[in-house]
Amino acid sequence: GALLNIALIPVLLKLVGPEGFGLLGAFYSMQALLMLFDFVLSAALQRQLARNNNSEKSISVAQQQSELASYFSTVEITTVGVGAFFFTCFFFGADYLTVNWFVENKMPLPAVSLSIRWMAAAAAFQFLGNLYNTSMLALRLHSANNLISMALWTIRFIVVVIASQLFSTPIIGALAAWALVNASGAIVVRAIIGSHLPRLIYADKFRINILRDAWRFGFQVATVAGIITAFNQVDKIFASRALSLSDFG
């Protein structure tokens, strides 16, 4: 996956051009900032896995799985809510960002605005997909998770390259393909997770005490990683405002 990601960079630069690549730079920063929430929620899920592994023998496997299912469902609902809020803000704020943030570029304004919307969709689905990857590991489905991740990176590489050639504005095709692959991957992995967890009654699908516990623990653990990520992206965010898209790319 990492190798394909590196290989995709020069290919995309050639396909989408400097301005399109500048939008991709903004997309990567967008994903990184959204990862701040992922650090918190993933850390909490990993701790729950450790708890299940070290549970007393008096607790049945069914009880452990039920508790993990409640934890997963609560964190999933929270993640969907955060992702939906993030997407909504950027979807309706795309025109404002186009006019007031990404300045001095030759790309048509409607194309920039549409690209921002596809960026938001791709980042939101990636955010959800990261949670599902952590959940796969929590269920000890390491081999399946690795296989799916490799398949998704390969498919994303191929589809993004093809889609960028089918649109008059290549960056729109690339980002749309990225979003659709991320969404498809999230659906597939979610189906696998659902087949390994017991069904829950409505009351157990979202438990505020679990969310409070997850946030408290995850925030403490992920603080350092979050600060480092935020500092690494601050300069890029301001650069995207100060520079033209081609210079930023």
Side-chain angles (χ1 to χ4, degrees):
L3 292 176
L4 284 174
N5 191 29
I6 294 173
L8 188 59
I9 292 175
V11 174
L12 282 175
L13 177 58
K14 182 178 180 180
L15 292 175
V16 304
E19 290 195 327
F21 202 72
L23 283 172
L24 276 178
F27 168 56
Y28 283 122
S29 294
M30 185 186 292
Q31 283 194 123
L33 291 177
L34 195 53
M35 284 290 291
L36 295 175
F37 292 96
D38 182 60
F39 288 145
V40 173
L41 298 174
S42 294
L45 267 180
Q46 289 170 358
R47 182 185 64 157
Q48 186 61 29
L49 167 63
R51 281 180 171 178
N52 278 15
N53 290 340
N54 297 319
S55 295
E56 299 178 1
K57 293 182 179 179
S58 58
I59 301 177
S60 67
V61 174
Q63 288 176 306
Q64 293 179 29
Q65 290 286 61
S66 179
E67 182 64 23
L68 182 58
S70 290
Y71 212 96
F72 166 76
S73 180
T74 299
V75 174
E76 179 186 34
I77 291 172
T78 304
T79 301
V80 170
V82 171
F85 176 76
F86 172 87
F87 171 75
T88 301
C89 289
F90 277 90
F91 184 87
F92 289 103
D95 293 335
Y96 174 84
L97 291 173
T98 299
V99 175
N100 296 282
W101 192 270
F102 296 109
V103 296
E104 298 181 7
N105 62 83
K106 299 177 182 179
M107 187 179 296
L109 297 184
V112 176
S113 182
L114 184 56
S115 295
I116 293 172
R117 291 186 170 98
W118 279 117
M119 271 193 269
F125 282 119
Q126 183 63 50
F127 177 52
L128 185 60
N130 290 338
L131 173 74
Y132 291 157
N133 290 338
T134 300
S135 302
M136 291 280 283
L137 298 178
L139 293 170
R140 304 175 187 175
L141 301 173
H142 299 82
S143 297
N145 185 63
N146 292 336
L147 182 62
I148 292 172
S149 295
M150 282 298 301
L152 283 176
W153 271 110
T154 303
I155 293 171
R156 184 183 293 113
F157 182 94
I158 296 171
V159 173
V160 165
V161 170
I162 294 175
S164 65
Q165 299 298 294
L166 298 178
F167 284 69
S168 57
T169 305
I171 185 61
I172 295 178
L175 289 170
W178 207 303
L180 293 175
V181 172
N182 284 356
S184 301
I187 292 171
V188 170
V189 178
R190 179 60 180 85
I192 295 173
I193 293 170
S195 68
H196 285 79
L197 289 176
R199 291 182 177 273
L200 297 172
I201 61 174
Y202 182 79
D204 287 335
K205 289 187 176 181
F206 185 86
R207 290 159 50 183
I208 192 65
N209 63 309
I210 288 179
L211 178 60
R212 190 182 301 114
D213 175 72
W215 183 260
R216 186 185 302 115
F217 174 80
F219 183 80
Q220 294 173 351
V221 172
T223 298
V224 175
I227 292 174
I228 293 173
T229 300
F231 273 109
N232 284 340
Q233 298 304 320
V234 167
D235 60 329
K236 298 179 181 65
I237 293 173
F238 283 104
S240 69
R241 174 65 179 84
L243 303 175
S244 65
L245 280 176
S246 58
D247 290 338
F248 181 61

